[in-house]
Amino acid sequence: MVSFTFVVCAEPYKYEAMDTLLNLGEAIIKKGHKILGIFLYGSGVYNIKKRIIKSTSDRNLSDLLENFCKVYNIELLACSTWIGFTGIKKEEFIEGAYREGLGGLSDLIARSDKVIFFGPGG
Amino acid sequence: MVSFTFVVCAEPYKYEAMDTLLNLGEAIIKKGHKILGIFLYGSGVYNIKKRIIKSTSDRNLSDLLENFCKVYNIELLACSTWIGFTGIKKEEFIEGAYREGLGGLSDLIARSDKVIFFGPGG
Amino acid sequence: MVESVVIMCEESPFGKNSVIESIRMAAGILAVGDVEDVKVIILKDAVYFFDKNLNPEALNVDKFTNVMRLIELSELEILIHDEALKIAGLEVNDLSLKENLKIVNIQEISQLILDADMSFKY
Amino acid sequence: MVESVVIMCEESPFGKNSVIESIRMAAGILAVGDVEDVKVIILKDAVYFFDKNLNPEALNVDKFTNVMRLIELSELEILIHDEALKIAGLEVNDLSLKENLKIVNIQEISQLILDADMSFKY
Amino acid sequence: MQEKKKIVYLYGFSHTNDAKFDILFEIIQEHSQLNIDMIIIFLHDGVIGTSKRTLTTEKLRNLLNLPISVYALIPDIKARGMDPKTLNDKVKGIGYDQLVDVLVESEKIVSWM
Amino acid sequence: MQEKKKIVYLYGFSHTNDAKFDILFEIIQEHSQLNIDMIIIFLHDGVIGTSKRTLTTEKLRNLLNLPISVYALIPDIKARGMDPKTLNDKVKGIGYDQLVDVLVESEKIVSWM
């Protein structure tokens, strides 16, 4: 069993990162491996925000991410500096997610066999 | 006297758009011209959010923008679809700014002599 | 007074959402207000958006039905650079929404920009 | 277990903030936790960040003093691609923070990536 | 005999639209002087240009001539309307499952997305 | 005699890092077949490569050989540590004030930022 960590620096919807993460993540778990955590950094922290608007024509990435982390027991952390920077409030977070310093990322990286990094895009 | 409108599709801090807008905007007004409005679209709507975190080392773009629009009586509009999408609440807007449909942009464009478009970057 | 607008986009349908956003913006500007002429020029990788085999569901992303319908309803003129088609190895028959699309060469694109009151790359 | 990380960045200091964010992330990972080796490789336009004449104030943007101090304090290793220097027409004497920087060629960059447990382009 | 080091690159930018590919190519060219098992996986916009139907850029042709295994992610190919059957002969289409296997088996991952 | 149409391009991407310049060049080359007064203003990362000290890319050299006025925004040059005195002979440095004049005098603006 191999353990993975994902780092995401790209906004949802604007880039494909979160979609790939969810699809690849499912495949990783189906194959018997583990995802320790997902760390959101830079504009990637916008992924932590619960999406309230329901649309029939658009996937709800925040619901999908919340559910994915809950079902497979994956830590979902967002860089606290960037959370402060973007002004996203704790009560707006998707369930189970929390803010954490870069020490949290360092810890996740050191505990993982593999780290996959989704850059800021463009 | 020539009238300008700016459209901004890029996030503050991540791209240079808002900095150029403020510097160029001051020069436009100093030269005796007018800025009718600023329309925020796409990730550009993040510019409407009041920045609460005060930092001694970073310019506060939301304060600068708010002040710029107030002093020179410039309409500051953000695309309502995108405001809904990003979940920014009215009470988080900088003073004087409001949400508006693309009809508002159409109207601004038609009333302006010149339109300058700051793209989504990257 | 700006009455005619040309919007150019060159990014693939997924990496960023620039095709969708260009079209939403174009249709929105046309729908309300006094701007009567908005054209969208599709360059480079953006051409994949109109491949009739486009299949967002392969990524668990919803189909772009709404945007496609928007193009039909708004009677938006969409102009595709012939070079982009050639590079992508696509023929006119490979495209969706044929009746809303027109193939143009670089000379025609040059002229479209010269004829519009303003142009921008999204 | 991932113990060594290489971060690459190639974007100019202003267009995006990738140099600053790469450095913040690198220093943050190093500061706390078990990752003991983080290197930042500066490619292409990113080299302008270390031009000693860098002058954010020309854009009314605050100086990057904090990030520069962070580099000094964290003893972060920053490696600059010799080609990037050459293309920018810069000499070693034109660089700030000389004691934290090292010039490397593409062969050394190749080796740094091979030696690290993981690498990513920010 | 020492086993070969195995390194995998995840590359996600368009070859036709983006100059980011230049440095990646140079690095992989350097790697190819050494005894390394290299894999590059094109995903996201990286899959653009990997079809036989498209005009291949010179950069991509040069990369395909290096001693490297080249894969492209089928869901990203399909999403863009491309047919995995038309993939360039030197590029192998893989799904998420095979992607996991490649990542698990490789010693080092370089993310370039 | 009809007055020349005046069109100004605002271009904000790096020549060295970005392939976006290709299409811009093709369009401007087409314009140059017609009787048009063309100005291109490099700002943001567009200023990169306009200094004599830097290695000029072939693309930029080709553009500078077209019948077009080329300006670069001095604050963006200075911000990146470049010295406006070292600008390529065919590129004129301008400040925000002159930028306003150019925008006001031109009939059409194309934003490519």
Side-chain angles (χ1 to χ4, degrees), chain B:
Chain B
M1 197 205 64
V2 168
S3 58
F4 283 83
T5 279
F6 292 119
V7 185
V8 181
C9 299
E11 300 93 327
Y13 304 103
K14 187 168 172 189
Y15 297 102
E16 206 185 319
M18 196 46 75
D19 299 292
T20 303
L21 185 155
L22 291 166
N23 291 325
L24 174 60
E26 287 283 353
I28 285 172
I29 286 156
K30 223 173 57 193
K31 287 257 173 184
H33 305 295
K34 188 162 172 52
I35 300 167
L36 292 184
I38 300 170
F39 193 90
L40 310 173
Y41 187 78
S43 302
V45 300
Y46 288 116
N47 288 288
I48 208 174
K49 192 167 177 177
K50 187 125 195 85
R51 192 178 175 203
I52 301 141
I53 305 275
K54 302 282 174 193
S55 151
T56 48
S57 72
D58 252 341
R59 66 208 185 282
N60 189 323
L61 284 172
S62 69
D63 280 2
L64 291 171
L65 180 62
E66 179 178 289
N67 194 49
F68 181 67
C69 293
K70 196 191 286 176
V71 170
Y72 302 120
N73 194 23
I74 298 164
E75 279 186 72
L76 181 61
L77 315 178
C79 168
S80 26
T81 308
W82 270 92
I83 288 292
F85 213 60
T86 53
I88 304 172
K89 295 177 200 73
K90 199 165 175 266
E91 53 271 26
E92 297 175 311
F93 290 3
I94 62 180
E95 212 189 303
Y98 55 99
R99 66 188 281 179
E100 177 70 81
L102 282 164
L105 173 59
S106 188
D107 176 59
L108 269 179
I109 290 177
R111 287 193 289 129
S112 300
D113 297 313
K114 313 271 174 201
V115 178
I116 299 189
F117 183 88
F118 294 93

Side-chain angles (χ1 to χ4, degrees), chain E residues 28-93:
Chain E
I28 287 178
Q29 197 173 26
E30 281 303 325
H31 287 352
S32 70
Q33 317 288 316
L34 309 166
N35 186 35
I36 293 158
D37 193 359
M38 293 186 290
I39 299 170
I40 184 161
I41 300 172
F42 290 128
L43 72 171
H44 295 174
D45 283 351
V47 303
I48 292 175
T50 57
S51 157
K52 258 186 262 186
R53 296 187 61 177
T54 58
L55 289 184
T56 320
T57 58
E58 199 191 329
K59 296 182 210 173
L60 184 60
R61 276 199 305 277
N62 291 340
L63 183 87
L64 295 177
N65 285 329
L66 293 176
I68 181 170
S69 305
V70 181
Y71 301 151
L73 196 60
I74 292 174
D76 276 318
I77 292 170
K78 285 188 176 164
R80 284 159 184 79
M82 291 156 59
D83 182 352
K85 289 192 210 94
T86 67
L87 271 184
N88 188 301
D89 295 333
K90 293 189 173 168
V91 180
K92 190 186 152 197

Side-chain angles (χ1 to χ4, degrees), chain C residues 22-41:
Chain C
S22 300
I23 290 168
R24 275 190 190 150
M25 193 182 242
I29 295 173
L30 266 181
V32 210
D34 298 321
V35 182
E36 294 197 351
D37 186 5
V38 182
K39 294 186 172 74
V40 176
I41 300 181

